[in-house]
Amino acid sequence: MFAFIGILLGVALGFLIPITYPPGFSLYISVAILAALDSVFGAFRASLEEKFDIEIFVSGFFGNTILAVVLAYIGDKLGVPLYYAAIFAFGGRLFQNLAVIRRIAIHRLRVARGVSKTARSQRK
C-alpha cells in the first residue's frame, strides 16, 4: 500500500514541479529512466514472489541507473553507441519482469475465482 502511495506521490510531484534539462541530456535521462523502471518492475516482481529485499532494490536502483548513464556518457565521448547495451539489457529485463508479473496476476485471479488450469482444460 505504501509503495502505491509513493508511486502516486512521485508521479504527482513530477507533473507539478517544472524540472527542465538541456536537450543534450535526453539520451542520458532516457537510459536512466529505463534502468530505474527495470529496478521498479523487478522489485514489484520480487514483492509478488515474496522475495523483496529493500537493500537489493536500493542498490540495484541506483547502481543500474548510474551504470546506464555512465555507459551512455562514455559511449557518447568515444562516438560509440554504448547506450544500446543498456537499452537491450534493461529493456529485455523490463519485458521479462512484466511477463512474470502478468502470469502471477492471472494465476492469483484464477485461484481467487476457483478456476485452475486443469479445470479449464476439462471444460473444452
Side-chain angles (χ1 to χ4, degrees), residues 58-96:
V58 171
S59 65
F61 184 87
F62 290 108
N64 289 344
T65 303
I66 291 168
L67 177 64
V69 170
V70 168
L71 276 175
Y73 177 76
I74 290 172
D76 194 27
K77 293 301 173 191
L78 293 174
V80 178
L82 288 179
Y83 64 92
Y84 284 144
I87 290 172
F88 288 129
F90 297 126
R93 286 194 341 199
L94 188 78
F95 284 108
Q96 182 181 19

Side-chain angles (χ1 to χ4, degrees), residues 33-110:
I33 289 171
L34 182 63
L37 280 174
D38 170 58
S39 294
V40 170
F41 276 83
F44 188 60
R45 173 187 175 177
S47 177
L48 290 174
E49 294 174 338
E50 298 179 358
K51 298 178 183 177
F52 179 75
D53 184 343
I54 190 70
E55 292 171 345
I56 291 173
F57 169 68
V58 171
S59 65
F61 184 87
F62 290 108
N64 289 344
T65 303
I66 291 168
L67 177 64
V69 170
V70 168
L71 276 175
Y73 177 76
I74 290 172
D76 194 27
K77 293 301 173 191
L78 293 174
V80 178
L82 288 179
Y83 64 92
Y84 284 144
I87 290 172
F88 288 129
F90 297 126
R93 286 194 341 199
L94 188 78
F95 284 108
Q96 182 181 19
N97 284 332
L98 188 59
V100 171
I101 290 167
R102 180 180 45 84
R103 285 185 187 101
I104 291 171
I106 289 171
H107 174 73
R108 289 186 180 178
L109 282 171
R110 286 179 179 160

